[in-house]
Amino acid sequence: MGESTVTIALLYPELLGTYGDGGNATVLAERLRRRGVDTDVITLGAGEAVPTSCDIYLMGGGEDGPQALAARELSESGALHAAVDNGAVVFGTCAGIQVLGHEFANPDGTSHPGLGLLDVRTVRGPGKRAIGELLSEPLVDGLPTLTGYENHGAVTHLGPDVRPLGRVVHGVGNGGGDGSEGATAGRILATYMHGPALARNPALADLLLSWVVGSQLAPLDDSEVDDLRAERLRFVKRARWRRNR
C-alpha cells in the first residue's frame, strides 16, 4: 500500500449496515478510482481492532441493540477518537449520528452514552416513526439539494459546537423542531439520509474526499446519478402536492 493510497474503514457493517449504508464505501472508492487514486477499503467487524490510521471512517444505520454494542466497543477502544485527533474524516448515517453524539436513547427510553465526537444528543421521538423520502437544502457551501430516505424514531438535538448539514424541505430529519438535518463539525459529518446517501449525493461524497486529498477533484460524469436525483425530486414534489390537496 503506497503512501498515496486512501484508506476507507467501514465500521461494523453487521451492526451498522441495516439499510445498505455500506454502499457509501463503494461510492467513495469508485470515485477515487476513476480519478486514478489508489484506495483500500477495510471492513471491520464487531470485536475486531479498529486501526487509528485510516483516512475515512464510515458508520451506517442499525437497530437499537447493535447500535449500543457498536458504541460500547468504539468507546472502550478509543480508536475513533484517536483517528479524529489524527485528522481522519468520519461520516455517520442514522445510527451513526446518534453514536457519534453524547448520548442516544435505549428502547426503554433511558440514555446510552455515545462517543461525544459530535455535540448532539438523541432522545426517543414522541410521535410516529420518520419513514420516507428526506430532502434538505444544504447549509454547507458548494452542495446541491440533498436527497435520501429516512427510517428512525429518534429526535436529535444539536449543541452549540455543531452546525446542521441542511434544512429540511421534505421529511423529518433531526426532528428537533428547528428544521435541521444532520450535523457537521470539523471533519465529522453525519446525517439521517440513507440511499446510500453518497450514491444519491455525489457532491457530498466529493466533499468528504476533498478533506482527505486536499486538492481540487477532477469532475466525473454523474449523468446517471443526475437522472436518479431528478426522479427523486419529482417524487417528492408529487408527494408534497398530494399532501397539500
Side-chain angles (χ1 to χ4, degrees), residues 117-208:
L117 290 170
L118 275 179
D119 186 17
V120 306
R121 286 179 166 80
T122 300
V123 299
R124 295 197 71 78
K128 293 182 179 179
R129 189 173 182 86
I131 302 175
E133 288 293 305
L134 176 59
L135 194 73
S136 70
E137 288 302 327
L139 296 175
V140 176
D141 292 341
L143 294 178
T145 300
L146 298 171
T147 170
Y149 72 88
E150 60 185 341
N151 187 343
H152 65 94
V155 172
T156 295
H157 299 284
L158 307 187
D161 293 332
V162 297
R163 58 175 176 160
L165 173 61
R167 294 290 180 192
V168 174
V169 174
H170 181 82
V172 175
N174 295 339
D178 59 358
S180 66
E181 200 296 302
T184 181
R187 292 191 172 192
I188 303 176
L189 192 151
T191 177
Y192 274 105
M193 292 186 299
H194 299 292
L198 302 185
R200 287 200 183 197
N201 303 282
L204 183 59
D206 284 351
L207 174 65
L208 299 175

Side-chain angles (χ1 to χ4, degrees), residues 6-9 21 23-29 31-32 35 54-59 87-93 100 118 140-143 146 165 183-191 193 196-199 201-217:
V6 173
T7 306
I8 301 169
D21 297 312
N24 289 321
T26 303
V27 171
L28 291 173
R31 295 186 74 79
L32 287 171
R35 293 176 167 113
C54 298
D55 298 294
I56 306 176
Y57 295 80
L58 303 176
M59 305 168 66
V89 173
V90 179
F91 180 63
T93 301
L100 288 167
L118 275 179
V140 176
D141 292 341
L143 294 178
L146 298 171
L165 173 61
T184 181
R187 292 191 172 192
I188 303 176
L189 192 151
T191 177
M193 292 186 299
L198 302 185
N201 303 282
L204 183 59
D206 284 351
L207 174 65
L208 299 175
L209 294 175
S210 71
W211 292 348
V212 175
V213 301
S215 61
Q216 186 69 31
L217 295 170

Side-chain angles (χ1 to χ4, degrees), residues 67 97-105 111-116 118 120-123 155-156:
Q67 175 180 336
I97 190 174
Q98 299 175 21
V99 170
L100 288 167
H102 297 296
E103 60 185 17
F104 56 89
S111 294
H112 191 289
L115 302 180
L118 275 179
V120 306
R121 286 179 166 80
T122 300
V123 299
V155 172
T156 295

